[in-house]
Amino acid sequence: MNTPSIDLKQLLADAKETHPGAARAIDRLITLAPMFQSAARDMAGAYGETFLRRADDRVAEIDFLCNGDPEKFDEAIQAYVRFCLEFARKQAEFLKTGKYSFQDFDEMCSELYDDDEAVQSFYLFALLFSFIFSPNYYEFYDFFETEFLSHITDNGTICEVGCGHGVYLGQALSTHPKSQGVAIDISPGALEVAKRMLNFHKIASDRVDFAQDDLRKRLNRDKGMAHAIICCEVLEHLPDPQHALHELHRILRPGGTALLSAAIRMESVDHLYVFRTPEEVIEMIERAGLKLQASRVVPLAKGNMQDEEERRKLAEDPRVPVGYICRASK
Amino acid sequence: MSQENRTKLNEIIATLLEVDAATIDNNTSPTTIEQWDSLNHLNICVAVEQEFGIQLQTDEMATIRNVGDLVTMLNNKDVACA
Ligand SMILES: C[S@@+](CC[C@H](N)C(=O)[O-])C[C@H]1O[C@@H](n2cnc3c(N)ncnc32)[C@H](O)[C@@H]1O
């Protein structure tokens, strides 16, 4: 990102007072993996004070999950570092072959989602730090806050499918105190973490139903049960995202709102379905019967993301991985 | 051999980070060269794998913090590097 060059030392010194959690995360990250200095500088340059505020929030959640143990916190950061390197390595391979390395959902399940240790010590921590330091996750969260939370009513059931750590649902139920929550994931290890996350956010346990279920199949939920659905970073993990979207449409009540995201030509430790363009995702969403209301495209590349024109150009470059997120209604 | 490998290593890093190979020593790191980000880190590691015929796990790549760490790692993998 071509943003004003930030003096990290100065930033850390200032943030120590105002945003101690953010300062600690940056300090530990660049100490353990100095190669992330430019990422920290870019994020602070591009998103300023909001970056620090959000980082503080995420760090409070991570601290809670780590029971305040600084060693565990460092291990969580190392998980993020490995996750990023793994991504970069697989992405380079993807650019050569045009294929993601995983071809079989069941294999992915046994290697990751069914392995509590892998999910709880590696995967979910890596994702939580991505929300702080990776621009695509950061912008997804920003879209969630500014384009979704403020558009849903507070009188029904918010259902998060593929909730993982549960950050989105925790926040949605905090800001919508009259709503009930449903947290669905295929991974038992993830559901345990989501439960703790909602505890941290002081969401009464009788407000949330946690369920292991599989979005590849018919969800064990009634038609129209949710007035809001969150399904972020899930579609690209499935062999048949079109089926999944039909299923989300089925459980959404008429007039309801869905937050949906997709990774486009972007590998990861567990991506399966290759979306080639944002338009492909939009087509699928509309084919499922949902109406697009607002969307954002986040190219993962060096450039000034504040400049709409540059962002659009980068997003059109077939070699650049892109994050897509939208709000749709039924 | 050891000196030759060191020259090769410095050249890999210099090319990828677009700096003068003569400026590289064991203390060269992302702190001294701004372009050394995580993507270039991976590029360096992959180029090192290819040049020296070794394999690096992501865990190993994650612990490399400067050129000195790379040199140590090469030696640990029986690639003599000064
Ligand atoms: C990348 S994580 C996303 C977590 C969170 N929603 C976020 O945006 O950060 C993907 C999640 O989807 C879950 N998942 C994958 N396949 C699923 C399926 N078929 N049914 C339900 N959940 C699934 C995984 O267990 C994992 O927790």
Side-chain angles (χ1 to χ4, degrees):
Chain A
M1 288 176 221
N2 303 322
T3 37
S5 195
I6 295 272
D7 178 348
L8 265 187
K9 275 208 183 105
Q10 189 58 47
L11 174 88
L12 276 175
D14 296 343
K16 255 192 191 121
E17 304 292 325
T18 56
H19 300 87
R24 178 156 45 87
I26 298 169
D27 180 50
R28 292 315 296 155
L29 177 66
I30 66 176
T31 303
L32 293 167
M35 63 183 117
F36 281 86
Q37 286 172 78
S38 69
R41 233 182 269 122
D42 285 349
M43 290 300 291
Y47 305 111
E49 140 85 24
T50 319
F51 158 69
L52 294 173
R53 176 173 62 78
R54 294 225 174 96
D56 248 4
D57 291 348
R58 294 293 83 77
V59 167
E61 293 163 346
I62 294 165
D63 276 340
F64 181 80
L65 294 177
C66 291
N67 300 316
D69 179 346
E71 248 173 63
K72 272 202 166 163
F73 188 85
D74 279 1
E75 283 167 23
I77 288 198
Q78 268 146 349
Y80 171 67
V81 173
R82 273 187 285 132
F83 185 84
C84 290
L85 289 171
E86 195 71 35
F87 156 71
R89 179 162 230 177
K90 290 179 81 173
Q91 183 68 16
E93 201 52 36
F94 168 68
L95 285 176
K96 279 190 233 147
T97 63
K99 285 191 196 138
Y100 292 162
S101 65
F102 266 114
Q103 306 284 334
D104 176 27
F105 187 91
D106 292 321
E107 195 186 325
M108 211 158 72
C109 248
S110 57
E111 280 195 19
L112 184 60
Y113 304 145
D114 289 343
D115 180 345
D116 288 356
E117 168 67 18
V119 164
Q120 296 179 347
S121 306
F122 167 67
Y123 186 60
L124 294 181
F125 277 129
L127 292 181
L128 285 167
F129 277 104
S130 303
F131 275 83
I132 303 179
F133 292 112
S134 301
N136 52 334
Y137 284 85
Y138 177 90
E139 292 232 10
F140 280 4
Y141 190 84
D142 183 71
F143 188 90
F144 160 77
E145 244 188 25
T146 56
E147 292 285 340
F148 177 73
L149 280 187
S150 48
H151 285 77
I152 59 171
T153 51
D154 188 10
N155 57 354
T157 300
I158 306 171
C159 179
E160 178 165 22
V161 185
C163 62
H165 40 66
V167 161
Y168 286 122
L169 188 62
Q171 198 57 33
L173 291 174
S174 297
T175 53
H176 293 69
K178 293 197 213 81
S179 295
Q180 295 289 310
V182 174
I184 293 174
D185 204 286
I186 199 170
S187 158
L191 286 168
E192 275 175 30
V193 173
K195 235 175 236 177
R196 295 196 63 204
M197 182 66 79
L198 270 73
N199 260 337
F200 171 73
H201 284 284
K202 305 210 162 40
I203 308 297
S205 57
D206 61 359
R207 280 181 69 201
V208 195
D209 179 8
F210 295 88
Q212 190 188 4
D213 207 343
D214 186 348
L215 190 53
R216 286 176 304 162
K217 312 205 168 118
R218 187 184 165 88
L219 293 172
N220 191 17
R221 299 281 143 184
D222 290 340
K223 184 179 166 195
M225 53 77 60
H227 86 296
I229 286 178
I230 302 165
C231 186
C232 279
E233 299 272 326
V234 181
L235 293 175
E236 64 276 6
H237 301 250
L238 305 171
D240 183 0
Q242 182 71 71
H243 163 84
L245 285 165
H246 279 296
E247 199 40 26
L248 295 175
H249 176 267
R250 184 184 68 79
I251 66 168
L252 188 61
R253 87 175 180 209
T257 305
L259 178 74
L260 305 166
S261 87
I264 291 151
R265 37 177 202 264
M266 186 192 299
E267 254 284 29
S268 184
V269 296
D270 58 343
H271 287 179
L272 194 68
Y273 188 92
V274 185
F275 288 108
R276 306 267 169 200
T277 61
E279 289 70 31
E280 259 178 43
V281 187
I282 297 170
E283 235 169 72
M284 264 193 199
I285 289 172
E286 291 179 338
R287 214 176 295 139
L290 295 162
K291 287 183 280 298
L292 201 65
Q293 302 292 349
S295 61
R296 194 182 290 183
V297 170
V298 192
L300 207 54
K302 289 222 173 277
N304 181 0
M305 294 304 148
Q306 264 44 3
D307 178 343
E308 282 307 317
E309 184 57 21
E310 189 167 344
R311 188 188 272 251
R312 199 183 50 76
K313 277 212 184 111
L314 282 170
E316 281 170 6
D317 180 344
R319 298 182 63 79
V320 171
V322 165
Y324 174 80
I325 188 160
C326 70
R327 184 179 81 237
S329 64
K330 176 168 172 179
Chain B
M1 193 61 206
S2 171
Q3 198 51 53
E4 253 171 55
N5 283 341
R6 179 58 195 242
T7 308
K8 277 189 202 156
L9 177 68
N10 287 0
E11 273 165 12
I12 288 174
I13 297 168
T15 310
L16 286 168
L17 301 179
E18 297 174 344
V19 294
D20 180 355
T23 62
I24 292 173
D25 61 27
N26 281 349
N27 292 321
T28 301
S29 77
T31 308
T32 61
I33 304 183
E34 206 169 309
Q35 307 87 286
W36 189 336
D37 59 7
S38 58
L39 212 59
N40 273 326
H41 190 81
L42 179 87
N43 291 337
I44 292 170
C45 289
V46 170
V48 163
E49 284 184 325
Q50 282 166 356
E51 178 66 45
F52 299 106
I54 54 164
Q55 283 226 321
L56 296 178
Q57 302 302 319
T58 329
D59 302 24
E60 295 174 295
M61 296 181 188
T63 58
I64 295 165
R65 299 168 49 195
N66 52 36
V67 173
D69 287 346
L70 259 171
V71 172
T72 308
M73 198 206 52
L74 281 172
N75 283 304
N76 287 343
K77 291 190 181 275
D78 296 330
V79 178
C81 187

